[in-house]
Amino acid sequence: MNKIIIANWKMQLTYKESLDWCNSNKNELNKIIKEKLINIVICPDYLSLNSIIDIVSLTDIKIGAQDCAFEEIGAYTGQVSSLSLKEIGCNYCIIGHSEQRLYSCQDYNIIAKKLVLLVKNNICPIVCIGETLEEYKSGKTLQTLEQQINYIIKALDGIKNIYNTKIYIAYEPLWAIGTGKSINPQELDLLIDKIYNYISTYIDTKNIYFLYGGSINSDNIESFKNITKINGFLLGKASIDFQKLKKIVLLY
Ligand code: PGA
């Protein structure tokens, strides 16, 4: 399985800036993808998705959405359906990002519904899980992650006969996102092992891959890159500046 880097651009670039970024850097990025045999997924805002899919159409750069609606169609003001994402050729979608959980009050019941719809539409879900600083400090990390994972397990178990897509579970401790503080790599290694063992007691893990996200940059990527069960990274801040992103990808 190739390594994967997901660039979560959040709302850091405008429509025009996003398109300019892709136009200026797509060829160099494509070259790196081919040389390193790595998957790179750019997740711009909804508005830029369609144009960016066109811009990178002759490259191996993959495009993902930052969220989707929990229903396919209906009276859901402001939402974007996984059906539309599929129609425009969007192959990946982040769901349950902590900023969505916080600002859009999403819980894992909703996130599990999104997971099912994405799988049904053959879009690779990138499901985020992660504990708060309070939970981390009080030793409740594993407990929190297992509670979140239970929803994922239940959702996947219900559709086990229909899915072929890869499922990415992105562990992103909330206290590490955008703070410059990442988790200790040894701690991450142990934790991912535990999560993996937990999931594998309930469902087949053959299509499930793990990512880490939270203040990954070119200074710390090397200490994370050899964790066996981590297949890639979800980058926020460090993915906006092409030179920084390039450095990380080359070091990975
Ligand atoms: P960060 O964000 O790399 O800026 O910490 C990661 C994320 O939110 O996915």
Side-chain angles (χ1 to χ4, degrees):
M1 156 75 189
N2 288 352
K3 296 169 176 178
I4 185 163
I5 294 274
I6 319 272
N8 176 13
W9 281 359
K10 309 190 178 186
M11 202 181 70
Q12 303 284 12
L13 300 174
T14 65
Y15 172 74
K16 193 177 171 305
E17 285 168 346
S18 303
L19 271 54
D20 286 350
W21 193 106
C22 290
N23 276 317
S24 313
N25 303 313
K26 65 175 182 182
N27 291 337
E28 198 173 345
L29 196 55
N30 195 39
K31 204 166 149 253
I32 298 172
I33 292 172
K34 288 189 189 305
E35 278 166 14
K36 293 252 333 173
L37 294 176
I38 191 168
N39 287 312
I40 298 199
V41 184
I42 305 283
C43 302
D45 67 7
Y46 278 140
L47 197 61
S48 316
L49 271 176
N50 203 15
S51 309
I52 290 188
I53 287 172
D54 275 352
I55 294 172
V56 303
S57 63
L58 298 176
T59 73
D60 289 332
I61 301 167
K62 308 268 183 356
I63 301 300
Q66 295 178 14
D67 199 11
C68 68
F70 66 96
E71 293 290 349
E72 275 185 338
I73 205 98
Y76 299 99
T77 304
Q79 300 293 310
V80 172
S81 168
S82 47
L83 285 177
S84 300
L85 296 179
K86 184 183 174 182
E87 279 177 5
I88 63 164
C90 177
N91 305 119
Y92 293 80
C93 182
I94 299 171
I95 48 174
H97 190 281
S98 65
E99 285 148 17
Q100 280 292 341
R101 278 186 268 149
L102 180 67
Y103 303 125
S104 305
C105 304
Q106 289 182 19
D107 61 24
Y108 277 88
N109 268 315
I110 296 285
I111 296 161
K113 283 188 175 187
K114 296 180 180 192
L115 174 60
V116 172
L117 292 180
L118 290 173
V119 167
K120 222 177 110 192
N121 286 305
N122 221 11
I123 299 170
C124 284
I126 302 153
V127 199
C128 301
I129 56 170
E131 81 288 4
T132 62
L133 182 60
E134 214 174 45
E135 288 162 336
Y136 176 72
K137 280 189 173 162
S138 55
K140 293 204 178 113
T141 298
L142 193 58
Q143 187 188 327
T144 304
L145 298 183
E146 286 178 358
Q147 277 165 5
Q148 297 169 343
I149 284 167
N150 285 342
Y151 288 91
I152 301 174
I153 291 173
K154 198 166 162 224
L156 292 180
D157 199 38
I159 49 170
K160 61 175 175 261
N161 298 325
I162 63 155
Y163 86 84
N164 297 309
T165 54
K166 293 188 173 89
I167 311 286
Y168 292 97
I169 298 182
Y171 170 52
E172 297 207 301
L174 270 62
W175 50 269
I177 296 176
T179 59
K181 290 186 202 126
S182 52
I183 194 171
N184 172 299
Q186 285 76 32
E187 199 180 346
L188 178 61
D189 197 359
L190 287 174
L191 194 56
I192 294 295
D193 256 347
K194 285 185 187 156
I195 297 173
Y196 176 85
N197 291 337
Y198 183 76
I199 298 178
S200 58
T201 56
Y202 297 100
I203 50 170
D204 188 350
T205 49
K206 80 174 187 316
N207 282 337
I208 298 183
Y209 299 92
F210 292 95
L211 311 176
Y212 170 77
S215 296
I216 287 292
N217 55 46
S218 55
D219 294 330
N220 61 20
I221 182 74
E222 284 182 292
S223 54
F224 285 96
K225 70 177 189 184
N226 293 322
I227 300 178
T228 339
K229 290 199 175 69
I230 295 281
N231 278 102
F233 297 93
L234 189 50
L235 309 179
K237 206 169 168 203
S239 69
I240 310 296
D241 178 323
F242 177 68
Q243 292 307 325
K244 286 189 183 158
L245 174 66
K246 180 178 154 186
K247 206 165 166 197
I248 294 173
V249 175
L250 291 177
L251 288 169
Y252 181 24

